[in-house]
Coordinates of all heavy atoms in Angstrom, one line a residue:
G1 N -1.1 11.6 13.8 CA -1.4 12.9 13.1 C -0.6 13.2 11.8 O -0.9 14.3 11.3
M2 N 0.0 12.2 11.2 CA 0.6 12.3 10.0 C -0.1 11.5 8.8 O -0.7 10.5 9.3 CB 2.1 11.9 10.1 CG 2.9 12.8 11.0 SD 3.3 14.4 10.4 CE 4.5 14.0 9.0
T3 N -0.1 11.9 7.7 CA -0.7 11.2 6.6 C 0.5 10.7 5.6 O 1.4 11.5 5.4 CB -1.8 12.0 5.8 OG1 -1.1 13.3 5.3 CG2 -2.9 12.3 6.7
Y4 N 0.3 9.5 5.1 CA 1.3 8.9 4.2 C 0.7 8.5 2.9 O -0.3 7.6 2.9 CB 2.0 7.8 4.9 CG 2.7 8.2 6.2 CD1 2.1 8.2 7.4 CD2 4.0 8.6 6.2 CE1 2.7 8.6 8.5 CE2 4.7 8.9 7.3 CZ 4.0 9.0 8.4 OH 4.6 9.3 9.7
G5 N 1.1 9.0 1.9 CA 0.8 8.4 0.5 C -0.7 8.8 0.0 O -1.4 9.4 0.9
Q6 N -0.9 8.5 -1.2 CA -2.2 8.7 -1.7 C -2.8 7.4 -2.5 O -3.9 6.9 -2.2 CB -2.2 9.8 -2.8 CG -1.9 11.1 -2.1 CD -1.8 12.3 -3.3 OE1 -0.7 12.3 -3.8 NE2 -2.8 13.1 -3.4
K7 N -1.9 6.8 -3.2 CA -2.2 5.5 -3.8 C -2.1 4.4 -2.9 O -1.0 4.3 -2.2 CB -1.4 5.3 -5.2 CG -1.6 6.4 -6.2 CD -0.5 6.3 -7.3 CE -0.8 5.1 -8.2 NZ 0.2 5.1 -9.3
R8 N -3.1 3.4 -2.9 CA -3.0 2.3 -2.0 C -3.2 1.0 -2.7 O -4.0 0.9 -3.6 CB -4.1 2.6 -0.9 CG -4.1 1.4 0.1 CD -5.1 1.8 1.2 NE -6.5 2.0 0.8 CZ -7.5 1.3 1.1 NH1 -7.2 0.1 1.8 NH2 -8.7 1.5 0.6
Y9 N -2.3 0.2 -2.3 CA -2.3 -1.2 -2.8 C -2.5 -2.3 -1.9 O -2.0 -2.0 -0.6 CB -1.0 -1.5 -3.7 CG -0.8 -0.9 -5.0 CD1 -0.3 0.4 -5.0 CD2 -1.1 -1.3 -6.2 CE1 0.0 1.1 -6.2 CE2 -0.9 -0.7 -7.3 CZ -0.4 0.6 -7.3 OH -0.2 1.2 -8.5
R10 N -3.0 -3.4 -2.2 CA -3.0 -4.6 -1.2 C -2.3 -5.7 -1.8 O -2.5 -6.0 -3.0 CB -4.5 -5.1 -0.9 CG -4.6 -6.1 0.1 CD -5.9 -6.6 0.4 NE -6.6 -7.4 -0.6 CZ -7.6 -7.0 -1.4 NH1 -8.1 -5.8 -1.3 NH2 -8.1 -7.9 -2.3
L11 N -1.3 -6.2 -1.2 CA -0.5 -7.4 -1.7 C -1.0 -8.6 -0.9 O -0.6 -8.6 0.3 CB 1.0 -7.0 -1.6 CG 2.0 -8.2 -2.0 CD1 1.8 -8.3 -3.5 CD2 3.5 -7.8 -1.6
N12 N -1.4 -9.6 -1.6 CA -1.9 -10.9 -1.0 C -0.8 -11.8 -1.2 O -0.2 -12.0 -2.4 CB -3.1 -11.4 -1.5 CG -4.3 -10.4 -1.3 OD1 -4.4 -9.8 -0.3 ND2 -5.2 -10.3 -2.3
V13 N -0.3 -12.4 -0.2 CA 0.8 -13.3 -0.3 C 0.5 -14.7 0.3 O 0.0 -14.8 1.6 CB 2.1 -12.8 0.5 CG1 3.3 -13.9 0.4 CG2 2.5 -11.4 0.1
G14 N 0.5 -15.8 -0.5 CA 0.0 -17.1 0.1 C -1.4 -17.0 0.3 O -2.3 -16.3 -0.2
E15 N -1.8 -17.8 1.3 CA -3.2 -17.9 1.7 C -3.6 -16.9 2.8 O -4.9 -16.6 3.0 CB -3.5 -19.3 2.2 CG -3.4 -20.3 1.1 CD -3.7 -21.7 1.6 OE1 -3.9 -21.9 2.7 OE2 -3.6 -22.7 0.8
D16 N -2.6 -16.2 3.6 CA -3.2 -15.6 4.8 C -2.3 -14.4 5.1 O -2.4 -13.7 6.2 CB -3.1 -16.5 6.1 CG -1.7 -17.1 6.2 OD1 -0.8 -16.7 5.5 OD2 -1.6 -18.0 7.2
I17 N -1.4 -13.8 4.3 CA -0.7 -12.6 4.5 C -1.3 -11.5 3.5 O -1.3 -11.7 2.4 CB 0.8 -12.9 4.2 CG1 1.3 -13.9 5.2 CG2 1.5 -11.6 4.4 CD1 2.8 -14.3 4.9
V18 N -1.5 -10.4 4.2 CA -2.0 -9.3 3.5 C -1.1 -8.1 4.0 O -1.0 -7.8 5.1 CB -3.5 -8.9 3.8 CG1 -3.9 -7.6 3.1 CG2 -4.5 -10.0 3.4
I19 N -0.6 -7.4 2.9 CA 0.3 -6.3 3.2 C -0.3 -5.1 2.4 O -0.5 -5.1 1.3 CB 1.7 -6.5 2.7 CG1 2.4 -7.7 3.4 CG2 2.6 -5.3 2.8 CD1 3.7 -8.2 2.8
Q20 N -0.5 -4.0 3.2 CA -1.1 -2.7 2.7 C 0.2 -1.8 2.4 O 1.1 -1.7 3.1 CB -2.0 -2.0 3.6 CG -3.3 -2.8 4.0 CD -4.3 -2.7 2.7 OE1 -4.3 -1.9 1.9 NE2 -5.2 -3.6 2.9
L21 N 0.1 -1.2 1.1 CA 1.2 -0.4 0.7 C 0.7 1.0 0.2 O -0.3 1.0 -0.5 CB 2.1 -1.0 -0.4 CG 2.7 -2.3 0.1 CD1 3.0 -3.2 -1.2 CD2 4.1 -2.1 0.7
W22 N 1.4 2.1 0.6 CA 1.1 3.4 0.1 C 2.1 4.0 -0.7 O 3.3 3.9 -0.3 CB 0.7 4.2 1.4 CG -0.6 4.0 2.0 CD1 -1.8 4.6 1.7 CD2 -0.9 3.0 2.9 NE1 -2.8 4.1 2.4 CE2 -2.2 3.0 3.3 CE3 -0.1 2.0 3.6 CZ2 -2.9 2.1 4.2 CZ3 -0.7 1.2 4.5 CH2 -2.1 1.3 4.8
Y23 N 1.8 4.8 -1.8 CA 2.7 5.5 -2.6 C 2.2 6.9 -2.9 O 1.0 7.2 -2.8 CB 2.9 4.8 -4.0 CG 3.5 3.4 -3.8 CD1 2.5 2.3 -3.5 CD2 4.7 3.1 -3.9 CE1 3.0 1.0 -3.2 CE2 5.2 1.8 -3.7 CZ 4.4 0.7 -3.4 OH 4.9 -0.5 -3.2
D24 N 3.1 7.8 -3.2 CA 2.7 9.0 -3.7 C 2.2 9.0 -5.1 O 2.2 7.9 -5.8 CB 3.7 10.2 -3.4 CG 4.9 10.0 -4.1 OD1 5.0 9.2 -5.2 OD2 5.9 10.8 -3.8
V25 N 1.9 10.2 -5.8 CA 1.4 10.2 -7.2 C 2.5 9.8 -8.1 O 2.2 9.2 -9.2 CB 0.8 11.6 -7.6 CG1 -0.4 11.9 -6.7 CG2 1.9 12.7 -7.4
D26 N 3.7 9.8 -7.7 CA 4.8 9.4 -8.6 C 5.3 8.0 -8.3 O 6.4 7.6 -8.8 CB 6.0 10.4 -8.4 CG 5.6 11.8 -8.9 OD1 4.8 11.9 -9.9 OD2 6.1 12.7 -8.3
N27 N 4.4 7.3 -7.5 CA 4.9 5.8 -7.1 C 6.0 5.7 -6.3 O 6.7 4.8 -6.3 CB 5.0 5.0 -8.4 CG 3.6 4.6 -8.9 OD1 2.6 4.5 -8.1 ND2 3.6 4.3 -10.2
S28 N 6.3 6.8 -5.5 CA 7.4 6.7 -4.5 C 6.8 6.1 -3.3 O 5.8 6.6 -2.6 CB 8.0 8.1 -4.2 OG 9.1 8.1 -3.3

């Protein structure tokens, strides 16, 4: 029921790891 962040990034690491990251408008 909570929302986190607005900006969303995908960090690909090596061949098979994917990490999703969320930040607010100020990149926090």
Side-chain angles (χ1 to χ4, degrees):
M2 300 285 291
T3 58
Y4 299 86
Q6 292 173 287
K7 299 171 68 175
R8 181 167 60 111
Y9 289 86
R10 184 175 79 249
L11 180 62
N12 299 323
V13 182
E15 296 182 357
D16 55 4
I17 296 173
V18 177
I19 301 171
Q20 298 281 347
L21 296 157
W22 285 265
Y23 300 84
D24 66 14
V25 293
D26 296 321
N27 279 336
S28 180

